[in-house]
Amino acid sequence: MDSAAAPFSRESLKQARRLVVKVGTRVVTHPDGGLDVVFLDRLARQIARLHERGCQVIVVTSGAVHLGRAVLGPTRGKETLNYRQAAAAIGQPELMRTYAEALRAHGLVSAQVLLTMDDMTDRQRYIHVRNSMELLLRRHVVPVVNENDSVSVEGVTFVENDKLAAIVATKLRADLLIFLSDQPGLCTADPRLDPEARLIACVYPGQDPGAEAEGAGGAESRGGMRAKLAAARTASDFGIPVVMVAGDLDNVLLRVLAGEELGTLFVPGPAREARKVWIATAAEPAGSIMVDSGAASALRRPGGASLLPRGITGTEGGYEAGDIVRVLDPQGQEVARGLVNYPASEVALLVGAHSSEVLDRLGHVGHEEVIHRDNMVVTGE
Ligand code: GLU
């Protein structure tokens, strides 16, 4: 039990029915470049057991770039985007083939799902992705997801699979997200370098283990841990428990699902509705709306207000009505994100307007709110 006061404990994980399992490159490959088929066999066996119990498992795996790199050979200097795209194009079919074989050996059908960030930011596309994944899951297929690195320009440079896994978990309303990693969990320092390193068993909502975990790893692995932390937060903030755990432990998935104290548990915050999940986890907002301090605090108040024209001081970017925009306070800090009711050209006309002036300024009747509260997620809420 993590804490008597906590409403959520390891025991609660026994109830999980839909799982997202993120497999890191170092977990699925050997240092020399090849895939670890023994690991994949053990993973497939556990997934088969989970299926027998009525669980659904979505795998999000890395490894494509690493596999392709072994074929292409080293580059001189920094790897270019094209090099990574080419490496992924070589590695992905190999990665998928090996997953498919491992799963088939345990009687499971797999499906390759390659996603770019656009598939998640565009609501129509995201709904299609979700529906096709739901169909796969209903038919007891194991979706094996990776980023579509070979065509994903922004994605390769900005998105780690940790984030992809967190987004997939929120979009598909998973009950649990498990990061299988080459570390025992979130530690106070890199356990490979520091004998004093301690595993952080539990992270509660609102608690920031960042400073403590900051020391984990050298310059190379720090980014990795930070990315993992941010991804874990994305999921746990939306009500999904996250467990970060060593991928090489025997029966690791089954044991986590049995409530065993392994790795680091991120206790979930209160769940939120799907639309808000989509707004908060969508990629780059299409623009920004600047507001005065009065409007900023009205938005930040618990159960607070919609964004009205009156508090707006400026606008930036060429967004359309229905796009996601950032709301910034006078210091440039993000206050919220939301679906905007007007295009940028009209928001510019509405700066500072009283509600009664909307018709005059635009020449047509519009929404009273520039962003309705229901379509808004306050940052850090
Ligand atoms: N999608 C990349 C791959 O398959 C990995 C990205 C990551 O390491 O997070 O190689």
Side-chain angles (χ1 to χ4, degrees):
M1 227 24 109
D2 297 302
S3 152
F8 189 95
S9 73
R10 292 274 182 172
E11 286 291 302
S12 317
L13 300 182
K14 291 180 175 172
Q15 310 301 324
R17 282 293 161 268
R18 180 173 286 187
L19 276 77
V20 173
V21 178
K22 191 262 169 178
V23 180
T25 297
R26 283 192 232 174
V27 175
V28 74
T29 61
H30 293 296
D32 65 4
L35 280 166
D36 186 342
V37 290
V38 174
F39 165 79
L40 284 175
D41 180 65
R42 290 161 59 196
L43 180 72
R45 185 168 7 97
Q46 293 178 73
I47 295 175
R49 291 269 296 279
L50 291 168
H51 269 220
E52 282 163 18
R53 292 191 210 160
C55 293
Q56 299 172 327
V57 183
I58 299 142
V59 177
V60 176
T61 187
S62 303
V65 172
H66 185 78
L67 287 177
R69 196 180 278 136
V71 176
L72 282 179
T75 49
R76 260 175 298 172
K78 201 170 174 284
E79 280 180 3
T80 61
L81 177 60
N82 288 151
Y83 179 91
R84 281 180 62 92
Q85 289 175 321
I90 294 169
Q92 180 62 31
E94 173 74 1
L95 182 65
M96 189 60 220
R97 187 180 59 75
T98 315
Y99 264 96
E101 279 170 8
L103 290 162
R104 196 179 309 123
H106 292 275
L108 297 167
V109 177
S110 55
Q112 171 176 261
V113 180
L114 297 178
L115 298 173
T116 61
M117 206 53 194
D118 295 344
D119 299 320
M120 296 292 155
T121 51
D122 181 289
R123 187 160 170 84
Q124 283 309 315
R125 281 167 71 172
Y126 139 60
I127 286 169
H128 283 296
V129 170
R130 193 189 60 192
N131 289 347
S132 69
M133 294 269 262
E134 290 288 351
L135 193 148
L136 291 170
L137 293 169
R138 274 200 305 280
R139 300 292 186 93
H140 311 293
V141 175
V142 182
V144 179
V145 182
N146 195 1
E147 180 163 6
N148 198 356
D149 294 297
S150 53
V151 300
S152 172
V153 176
E154 246 186 317
V156 170
T157 43
F158 290 119
V159 182
E160 298 304 322
N161 273 9
D162 297 320
K163 184 173 171 189
L164 176 65
I167 292 175
V168 166
T170 57
K171 304 293 189 202
L172 288 172
R173 312 273 203 122
D175 303 314
L176 174 60
L177 169 60
I178 300 180
F179 286 107
L180 295 183
S181 127
D182 62 342
Q183 301 222 3
L186 185 63
C187 296
T188 52
D190 187 334
R192 290 165 300 199
L193 305 174
D194 186 347
E196 303 281 286
R198 198 170 43 77
L199 177 73
I200 302 171
C202 194
V203 178
Y204 291 98
Q207 185 190 345
D208 181 14
E212 210 180 347
E214 191 72 7
E220 188 202 324
S221 59
R222 223 147 73 187
M225 194 41 84
R226 212 174 289 146
K228 247 183 207 55
L229 251 175
R233 260 284 134 72
T234 300
S236 64
D237 279 356
F238 288 103
I240 300 171
V242 180
V243 175
M244 225 180 253
V245 65
D248 61 2
L249 291 178
D250 265 349
N251 287 323
V252 60
L253 299 183
L254 302 176
R255 287 162 67 190
V256 167
L257 266 274
E260 203 175 311
E261 290 261 358
L262 296 173
T264 303
L265 169 69
F266 287 76
V267 173
R272 301 197 208 176
E273 44 174 310
R275 177 184 279 266
K276 295 215 172 187
V277 171
W278 175 67
I279 292 169
T281 58
E284 267 310 283
S288 302
I289 294 178
M290 281 68 83
V291 300
D292 61 25
S293 53
S297 39
L299 297 181
R300 283 186 176 125
R301 253 198 311 273
S306 295
L307 177 62
L308 303 177
R310 226 176 135 170
I312 297 177
T313 56
T315 169
E316 227 171 56
Y319 52 86
E320 295 298 327
D323 279 347
I324 293 177
V325 297
R326 253 190 209 105
V327 181
L328 303 177
D329 71 9
Q331 286 73 45
Q333 295 290 319
E334 184 174 306
V335 182
R337 287 181 183 201
L339 293 178
V340 64
N341 284 331
Y342 293 99
S345 54
E346 293 191 343
V347 173
L349 296 174
L350 290 175
V351 167
H354 285 265
S355 298
S356 58
E357 295 173 307
V358 171
L359 174 61
D360 271 1
R361 294 218 187 173
L362 297 183
H364 63 85
V365 190
H367 296 269
E368 190 187 344
E369 310 84 11
V370 173
I371 303 176
H372 193 278
R373 187 70 192 181
D374 290 347
N375 294 328
M376 190 191 301
V377 175
V378 173
T379 309
E381 197 178 45

